[in-house]
Amino acid sequence: AEDVYCFAKDRYFIGESVEVEIPGGSLTTCQILHVIQPSEEDKDSFKKQNVKNGERQYWPPGSLYRYEVQPVANEKSKPLIVSAELIHRKKSYYSRAKNRLYIKQFTEQVGGFWKLKDKTAEKYGISRVKFDLIFVGEAPDLSPIKKASPNNQAKAGGAGKKEKRQESIDKYFTKKSPSKQQNSQPMDAHQKSLLQKLKEKYKVQNAKNNTLANKIANKQEAFRQKRKYTKKKLLQSSDKNSVLTEMEIKQRKQEEKLKMREQKRKKKEQVALLMKEYNRKKEDLELEDLQDLPEPLPIELRLPNELFGDFVMIMEFLHTFQETINLKDYFPAGMTLDLLERALVENEVAGPLCDIIQMLLTAIFELQEEEDDEIREDSDLRSSDWQDVADVAGDMRTKEAVRQATIAARWSQAYHRTPLNKLTLDASTVTEVLRLHLLASGGRCGDSSSKWRYQQRGGYSSLDDPGLMLRLSQPQILDSLSQIPFCDLSIGDKLAILSCLINQILTFSAVRDVIDERMDKIKQGKVELRSVHANDKKREQEAYQKLKDGEWTAEQLEKEKELLHRRKQDQNRRLKELNEENQSNQVLPLGQDRAYRRFWLFTAIPGLFVEHDDRHAGTCLPKGTPALDLGLLNGEDPEMYVKRLFEQGSNKENLLKTPTKTPITPTKTPSKASLPKTPSKGASPSKVAEEK
């Protein structure tokens, strides 16, 4: 690791981003394009510097190289040639600690040598990289340093250095001090002979060791000289084809760049195709982020399921037009689900049903009086060239019904000496007043009134009266009202009468004007929201541009973003209010699933309602529902999800396949029993559920 660091710390490689001190300027980030090898004159004039103990010095030194660099900020500028003194890496970009970490993570020891891991070499394509592609000259010799022999040390150090030899054992037998010499006893002849033998033995052994060390040093020197000669010969033979090799390398680089660019383009096209397929409208069971619906709570009502649609329609009308019909005068606490159910199911003479009919009849009579006043004030309607549609349209049965309604409209004035709208309304008279009103519905009026209704009510004529349609479609209701009070009618007949009165109220021009004003207000509000959103988006782009130009600081940008965020929240709140107002004006289903179940949201009754008809069970998926993806369930961005599928290569084929539908035999139970169901008018009987 230390040898690698000593070589790389003072040398910069082709393609590396460095900081260059350009003469006459400041530090500039540049990229190394080419490395220029030092000349022989520079090598001769350079004096070797003392290096630290343990460091290896590579020749020629890194300070003698020159580099051709290109500024990164301005790619059109001409390349510069600078010396190594003007180049340095960023602080802490490359250090001795990071070099050790690289050696530890990406290399392994094999047979006593450090070798790059196969996985790393294959990942970064090290086998295709040659040293002359990243630097100039020969590759460094990173073989381990061996201990030098005494002869080599003498050659390197010169005659002035003292040769270090193996110590003798004479010092262990010599006298160390005069005091010790006085205290020591004289040696006898046997001890002297033993000492002489040991001296001779160690002298012979030391001579043998010196001879063996000289032989090893000579062999190492011969091997080193032979290796240098081989390298020099190979270098001379490769210089002839150096120009061709560089041209091939440039051409190969260009081909690799084109190939990488083509691969990126194909990948981008495939991801765009997958994203388009992911965003297309699909059936609910084909989605990857399906979640279980909340557990529904059944609504236990005492009326048949097939009448639930009319029941909800009446609830929505009473909730939406409560100001028009003065609902608070009759029901101060408002109309609730239980109260309307009681009115339809219980046979109470003076119950809530009586109040509802009185409220609706009173609203109809007041609207008629307002229209009569407007007709009298309108002088443009006095022309006599108008012909009622009822005179030229309709069959004989309809014309006869219009004639009888015209006669019935004068009955109250003829027998009670009072117009029908002035009769007293209470629990005892409401049934007869209701019967007379239904009999008079659809009768002919004057030419001025007929023309005004046709113009102000959107082409309305006597044939469009809901009361006339009720008499023609369900004549038994009028017969029942002439014999029994309305509270004794069946639930279906009660709902038919209430629906008829509501439809009559909706035909008046005053109510039509209220609906038009609400729709215009919603439309204008959405236009204003779009305009505000476009202005905020433009304002945000201008803020970023000011920051880029230096006119604003980062703090000013943050304040502007906070202001835009608050404005965005206000826009979302306003949009939610507009959607609620639009929902109260027109009740439309949210959509339907593959089993033709329609989903509803109502303003008068909280909860999500699902209308299901067992006769149309739908079709099943041929391969079942897809597996749930945890990334999408945890809020993963759809684009990142599609890219992840493309990288994994597991489900991208499934995204491009459109499942075919196979018909199944309808059953009495829905395909998903856990879903709440709610039918509208005309649907087959099924359960109705509300989620609170």
Side-chain angles (χ1 to χ4, degrees):
E2 193 66 25
D3 294 341
V4 175
Y5 178 73
C6 291
F7 177 79
K9 68 176 183 178
D10 297 328
R11 290 168 176 79
Y12 308 96
F13 303 93
I14 297 175
E16 183 179 1
S17 295
V18 294
E19 292 184 350
V20 181
E21 298 180 7
I22 297 178
S26 59
L27 289 177
T28 305
T29 303
C30 299
Q31 187 176 9
I32 304 294
L33 300 180
H34 186 65
V35 182
I36 303 174
Q37 196 169 10
S39 61
E40 295 295 335
E41 296 179 359
D42 295 338
K43 296 179 183 179
D44 295 339
S45 61
F46 180 78
K47 295 182 180 180
K48 295 182 180 180
Q49 300 177 355
N50 295 329
V51 298
K52 297 180 181 180
N53 294 331
E55 287 189 356
R56 175 179 287 182
Q57 184 177 10
Y58 296 93
W59 186 261
S63 59
L64 298 182
Y65 289 93
R66 293 184 300 164
Y67 300 90
E68 183 179 354
V69 298
Q70 173 73 41
V72 177
N74 189 5
E75 297 180 354
K76 297 182 179 179
S77 61
K78 296 182 179 180
L80 304 175
I81 298 178
V82 296
S83 60
E85 299 174 353
L86 301 178
I87 304 177
H88 60 84
R89 296 183 177 92
K90 293 182 180 180
K91 188 177 180 181
S92 302
Y93 186 78
Y94 180 70
S95 61
R96 184 177 278 104
K98 290 185 177 180
N99 184 72
R100 289 198 192 98
L101 183 62
Y102 159 76
I103 296 295
K104 182 178 179 181
Q105 289 183 347
F106 300 106
T107 60
E108 58 185 355
Q109 195 171 12
V110 179
F113 295 94
W114 290 99
K115 180 184 176 183
L116 199 63
K117 294 180 180 180
D118 296 338
K119 184 178 180 180
T120 304
E122 182 181 356
K123 180 178 180 181
Y124 296 100
I126 302 300
S127 60
R128 300 188 299 270
V129 178
K130 297 182 180 180
F131 185 75
D132 56 357
L133 296 178
I134 60 175
F135 206 68
V136 69
E138 298 181 8
D141 183 13
L142 299 178
S143 59
I145 302 177
K146 296 183 179 179
K147 294 183 179 180
S149 63
N151 295 335
N152 291 337
Q153 288 181 358
K155 293 179 181 178
K161 293 185 179 180
K162 186 177 181 180
E163 183 179 356
K164 188 175 181 181
R165 297 182 179 274
Q166 185 176 358
E167 295 182 353
S168 176
I169 64 172
D170 292 343
K171 62 181 181 179
Y172 297 105
F173 298 97
T174 57
K175 298 177 182 180
K176 297 182 179 179
S177 62
S179 60
K180 291 183 179 180
Q181 186 177 5
Q182 293 176 2
N183 296 330
S184 63
Q185 298 179 358
M187 292 187 297
D188 53 4
H190 177 70
Q191 291 178 349
K192 288 181 179 180
S193 62
L194 182 61
L195 179 59
Q196 188 66 25
K197 289 180 180 180
L198 289 174
K199 287 182 179 181
E200 293 176 357
K201 180 180 179 181
Y202 278 102
K203 284 181 180 179
V204 173
Q205 187 176 1
N206 194 12
K208 290 182 179 179
N209 292 336
N210 291 336
T211 304
L212 182 62
N214 291 334
K215 289 182 180 180
I216 295 173
N218 293 334
K219 288 183 179 180
Q220 289 179 351
E221 184 66 21
F223 178 75
R224 192 177 295 108
Q225 293 295 335
K226 184 178 180 180
R227 188 173 60 181
K228 286 184 178 180
Y229 175 76
T230 306
K231 287 184 178 180
K232 186 175 181 181
K233 189 174 181 180
L234 291 174
L235 181 62
Q236 292 176 356
S237 63
S238 62
D239 288 340
K240 299 179 181 179
N241 300 327
S242 59
V243 177
L244 182 60
T245 305
E246 290 180 0
M247 292 178 63
E248 290 179 352
I249 290 172
K250 289 182 180 179
Q251 185 177 1
R252 194 172 300 170
K253 283 185 177 180
Q254 189 70 16
E255 291 176 357
E256 290 179 356
K257 286 183 180 179
L258 293 176
K259 186 183 289 186
M260 291 294 294
R261 192 175 300 170
E262 184 67 18
Q263 290 178 356
K264 288 182 179 179
R265 185 185 64 80
K266 289 182 179 180
K267 179 181 177 181
K268 189 175 181 181
E269 290 178 357
Q270 291 178 355
V271 171
L273 181 62
L274 294 177
M275 197 66 193
K276 181 179 179 181
E277 181 65 22
Y278 177 82
N279 289 330
R280 75 172 180 85
K281 292 183 179 180
K282 303 178 183 178
E283 295 181 350
D284 56 343
L285 296 182
E286 294 179 12
L287 302 177
E288 289 87 356
D289 55 348
L290 290 175
Q291 297 185 20
D292 293 336
L293 289 175
E295 188 68 23
L297 298 177
I299 302 177
E300 302 295 341
L301 295 179
R302 291 181 289 173
L303 56 144
N305 287 336
E306 59 268 17
L307 301 178
F308 186 75
D310 291 336
F311 179 82
V312 174
M313 184 272 292
I314 295 172
M315 282 289 299
E316 287 292 302
F317 175 83
L318 297 179
H319 177 77
T320 304
F321 296 95
Q322 53 183 337
E323 297 179 358
T324 304
I325 60 178
N326 299 322
L327 181 68
K328 295 295 182 179
D329 295 342
Y330 296 88
F331 301 96
M335 180 58 63
T336 60
L337 186 72
D338 297 335
L339 187 59
L340 183 59
E341 180 189 11
R342 172 190 164 190
L344 295 174
V345 176
E346 301 293 339
N347 296 333
E348 301 180 54
V349 176
L353 181 61
C354 178
D355 297 334
I356 294 174
I357 292 179
Q358 292 183 39
M359 176 181 64
L360 296 177
L361 288 175
T362 303
I364 292 173
F365 295 155
E366 291 177 354
L367 292 172
Q368 283 179 345
E369 291 180 358
E370 293 178 3
E371 285 192 355
D372 293 340
D373 294 341
E374 293 181 6
I375 292 171
R376 284 192 295 269
E377 294 176 0
D378 195 346
S379 59
D380 297 337
L381 300 175
R382 296 177 182 177
S383 59
S384 59
D385 57 347
W386 177 258
Q387 189 176 10
D388 194 354
V389 179
D391 297 336
V392 296
D395 52 8
M396 295 300 298
R397 182 167 175 263
T398 304
K399 292 181 179 180
E400 179 63 21
V402 171
R403 189 183 67 80
Q404 293 179 359
T406 306
I407 297 173
R410 296 191 289 267
W411 194 91
S412 178
Q413 183 69 34
Y415 292 96
H416 295 288
R417 300 297 179 181
T418 304
L420 181 62
N421 56 358
K422 300 297 182 181
L423 292 177
T424 303
L425 275 175
D426 54 23
S428 58
T429 61
V430 65
T431 301
E432 183 62 16
V433 174
L434 174 63
R435 187 181 70 87
L436 293 177
H437 170 70
L438 294 177
L439 287 175
S441 298
R444 288 199 56 186
C445 54
D447 294 339
S448 300
S449 299
S450 178
K451 184 178 180 180
W452 189 92
R453 290 177 182 179
Y454 187 85
Q455 294 176 351
Q456 301 298 326
R457 291 194 187 185
Y460 178 86
S461 66
S462 300
L463 301 179
D464 299 324
D465 195 301
L468 178 64
M469 298 180 183
L470 179 66
R471 291 204 318 273
L472 295 176
S473 60
Q474 300 181 14
Q476 76 279 0
I477 295 179
L478 275 299
D479 296 338
S480 300
L481 287 177
S482 62
Q483 300 174 7
I484 59 175
F486 68 90
C487 60
D488 293 336
L489 296 175
S490 64
I491 298 178
D493 293 344
K494 293 178 182 178
L495 285 173
I497 292 174
L498 293 178
S499 300
C500 176
L501 297 178
I502 289 173
N503 291 331
Q504 284 182 334
I505 292 176
L506 292 176
T507 60
F508 285 96
S509 60
V511 180
R512 290 168 58 90
D513 293 340
V514 172
I515 297 175
D516 292 340
E517 290 176 1
R518 291 179 180 178
M519 298 302 295
D520 292 341
K521 180 180 178 182
I522 294 171
K523 183 178 180 180
Q524 183 65 25
K526 290 186 177 180
V527 171
E528 293 177 357
L529 281 180
R530 284 196 294 268
S531 176
V532 172
H533 178 70
N535 293 334
D536 290 348
K537 190 174 182 180
K538 182 179 179 181
R539 186 173 176 178
E540 183 179 4
Q541 294 176 353
E542 292 177 353
Y544 279 106
Q545 186 64 33
K546 289 182 180 179
L547 178 65
K548 186 177 180 180
D549 297 340
E551 299 179 6
W552 277 15
T553 60
E555 295 180 356
Q556 291 177 321
L557 179 63
E558 289 297 328
K559 291 182 180 179
E560 185 70 12
K561 289 172 67 176
E562 291 178 1
L563 178 61
L564 293 176
H565 180 66
R566 290 195 296 268
R567 289 169 61 90
K568 181 70 174 180
Q569 291 179 346
D570 295 340
Q571 294 173 21
N572 293 337
R573 184 169 53 254
R574 177 58 180 162
L575 181 61
K576 185 178 179 181
E577 294 175 356
L578 291 177
N579 290 334
E580 291 177 355
E581 293 178 3
N582 188 29
Q583 184 180 356
S584 63
N585 289 334
Q586 52 181 359
V587 181
L588 298 175
L590 302 177
Q592 66 180 19
D593 59 7
R594 50 175 292 277
Y596 304 102
R597 291 183 287 254
R598 294 196 296 179
F599 294 76
W600 298 84
L601 278 179
F602 305 118
T603 57
I605 309 175
L608 174 65
F609 297 84
V610 181
E611 176 188 358
H612 178 57
D613 193 345
D614 291 336
R615 296 171 297 177
H616 304 287
T619 57
C620 289
L621 295 178
K623 296 183 179 180
T625 58
L628 296 180
D629 191 276
L630 297 179
L632 287 175
L633 294 179
N634 294 331
E636 183 180 5
D637 184 56
E639 185 174 359
M640 298 301 296
Y641 165 71
V642 171
K643 288 183 178 180
R644 178 164 58 84
L645 287 185
F646 178 79
E647 296 294 339
Q648 294 175 355
S650 59
N651 293 332
K652 60 183 179 182
E653 292 84 3
N654 297 334
L655 281 174
L656 297 176
K657 291 180 180 179
T658 303
T660 57
K661 299 181 180 180
T662 56
I664 62 171
T665 304
T667 58
K668 294 183 179 180
T669 57
S671 57
K672 272 199 172 183
S674 61
L675 287 176
K677 313 162 199 174
T678 165
S680 65
K681 184 176 181 181
S684 62
S686 60
K687 295 182 180 178
V688 181
E690 175 194 4
E691 181 229 335
K692 295 183 178 180

